[in-house]
Amino acid sequence: MKLAALGEVMVELAPQAAAQAGEQGKALLRQSYAGDTYNTAVYIARHGVSVSYVTLLGDDPYSEEVLTRLGDEGIDTSAIARLSGRCPGLYMIQNTPDGERYFTYWRGEAPARELFADPQRREVLKAHLRQMDCLYLSGITLAIMAADARAELLDFLKEYRAAGGRVAFDSNYRPRLWRSVGDAREVVATFMSVTDMALLTFEDEQALWGDDVVDQCVQRNSDHGLSELVIKRGAEPVLLHCEGQQAEVDVPAVAQVVDTTGAGDSFNAGYLAARLQGASPVESIASGNRCAAQVIGYRGAIIPQAEFVAGAQPVAC
Ligand code: ADP
């Protein structure tokens, strides 16, 4: 089984320790790399599933280091295009004492915004994607793309699914990346119609659609013909709707939540890796919870390779 994840990887600056009250932004910063689909790609690869990461990078030292990191994770970088004179976007994390996080971005000119835009590169990329069993993308992938490129991607996904490929999608709603909430709704709904496995976070769905209760989220998404709908709700049980079957899977308590950055992304990785390795949706949710439990015990989106154990049980409170 081989999966390709499409999206953007950025330079990440994360505080090394929680800033004291009144000292916001003054903590020492650790520099790393992250981005929602990149995070998922890394953790899927750490579960032993073959992954290709698809993005555009520049020709600067940071882009070079991203390629090195992906290579160190065993991720295929052959579909990554480089644009001369460009460099990746940047974001900073601020944490609250209870581990919640706030992000500030500098990503307006990132090369990843040109995904699927150039006709020649697009044909080469399509040939690469046709070799995959599963494609993974998010609302962020769609938000940063040009409208024409998005339409091309949509047509390609229809063809890809007709040929037997599966599409996994997380709406990951970030209001500032969209022109309007109406735009975001229209695009997300369109791409949900070419999705097999939707891995949504209820908080994002509430922000995007104004849901009061989770049933509204389930109702709306049941029209899309999904084979699997998974709804993450932080420490609350994960909901599964799968071919008429429903389940709630408890989230194990985590001893110390340090930073929830990458929680949803790493959950998706644990879920997709398990699904691609033949586990049931319920078993795959447990795998997603185990993966996320490790990641939220560390600062930043990507925890050190040596500390990560695929399938590890979380340390209970
Ligand atoms: P997102 O990062 O997209 O906001 P969530 O906050 O819903 O996603 O979290 C995704 C997953 O991370 C949850 O399903 C759970 O497995 C894990 N998780 C998040 N917060 C906690 C927490 N406080 N305690 C235990 N697990 C958590």
Side-chain angles (χ1 to χ4, degrees):
M1 284 290 162
K2 192 162 183 189
L3 174 144
L6 292 79
E8 178 181 14
V9 51
M10 294 167 287
V11 175
E12 176 191 84
L13 295 177
Q16 280 187 343
Q20 302 299 310
E23 275 194 359
Q24 283 289 348
K26 290 193 182 148
L28 280 175
L29 298 171
R30 188 179 54 87
Q31 189 251 304
S32 183
Y33 298 92
D36 65 337
T37 55
Y38 169 86
N39 305 339
T40 302
V42 166
Y43 292 117
I44 292 177
R46 289 187 188 181
H47 282 80
V49 172
S50 198
V51 182
S52 167
Y53 193 62
V54 176
T55 191
L56 288 95
L57 291 168
D59 55 359
D60 61 305
Y62 296 102
S63 295
E64 206 57 57
E65 204 182 330
V66 168
L67 290 173
T68 305
R69 297 248 177 145
L70 285 164
D72 290 348
E73 298 285 351
I75 294 174
D76 175 2
T77 59
S78 63
I80 297 180
R82 314 278 302 268
L83 301 183
S84 61
R86 306 282 288 271
C87 60
L90 165 79
Y91 85 111
M92 279 179 73
I93 305 176
Q94 286 182 317
N95 297 118
T96 59
D98 61 356
E100 266 314 324
R101 79 283 182 174
Y102 296 92
F103 304 131
T104 310
Y105 299 98
W106 294 260
R107 68 196 304 185
E109 292 171 18
R113 290 182 169 256
E114 290 176 38
L115 195 63
F116 244 66
D118 176 78
Q120 235 175 338
R121 269 199 298 264
R122 187 164 61 228
E123 290 313 310
V124 175
L125 181 53
K126 284 183 188 174
H128 179 79
L129 297 178
R130 285 188 191 105
Q131 296 165 29
M132 304 290 150
D133 300 288
C134 183
L135 302 183
Y136 174 68
L137 59 142
S138 77
I140 295 178
T141 314
L142 301 177
I144 63 169
M145 291 173 73
D148 293 359
R150 231 164 24 212
E152 292 283 349
L153 176 61
L154 182 69
D155 286 345
F156 172 72
L157 293 181
K158 288 178 188 165
E159 171 213 309
Y160 172 78
R161 292 178 79 225
R166 281 189 294 168
V167 175
F169 178 69
D170 184 341
S171 58
N172 259 345
Y173 178 51
R174 300 291 179 269
R176 268 176 296 172
L177 291 178
W178 295 96
R179 253 195 327 206
S180 69
V181 67
D183 252 22
R185 285 182 180 174
E186 191 184 323
V187 171
V188 167
T190 304
F191 277 80
M192 284 294 284
S193 71
V194 291
T195 293
D196 298 283
M197 294 176 272
L199 307 172
L200 309 177
T201 295
F202 185 49
E203 215 178 35
D204 288 351
E205 290 291 290
Q206 284 184 298
L208 180 56
W209 299 98
D211 298 339
D212 293 316
V213 291
V214 79
D215 280 350
Q216 289 170 286
C217 178
V218 173
Q219 280 297 320
R220 183 180 51 256
N221 288 299
S222 57
D223 294 341
H224 292 300
L226 300 165
S227 62
E228 286 155 47
L229 169 63
V230 175
I231 304 175
K232 295 157 275 176
R233 300 182 299 167
E236 298 293 308
V238 178
L239 301 183
L240 169 71
H241 285 250
C242 176
E243 281 148 11
Q245 183 204 344
Q246 299 179 19
E248 281 197 18
V249 181
D250 284 339
V251 172
V254 172
Q256 205 192 357
V257 178
V258 175
D259 174 10
T260 58
T261 305
D265 307 333
S266 53
F267 174 94
N268 294 352
Y271 184 89
L272 290 171
R275 283 299 279 141
L276 293 175
Q277 288 167 329
S280 72
V282 168
E283 288 166 343
S284 302
I285 288 175
S287 165
N289 284 336
R290 287 195 294 270
C291 186
Q294 288 188 72
V295 172
I296 64 180
Y298 285 83
R299 289 187 185 281
I302 304 291
I303 74 171
Q305 218 171 14
E307 311 283 340
F308 184 81
V309 183
Q313 297 291 342
V315 180
C317 288

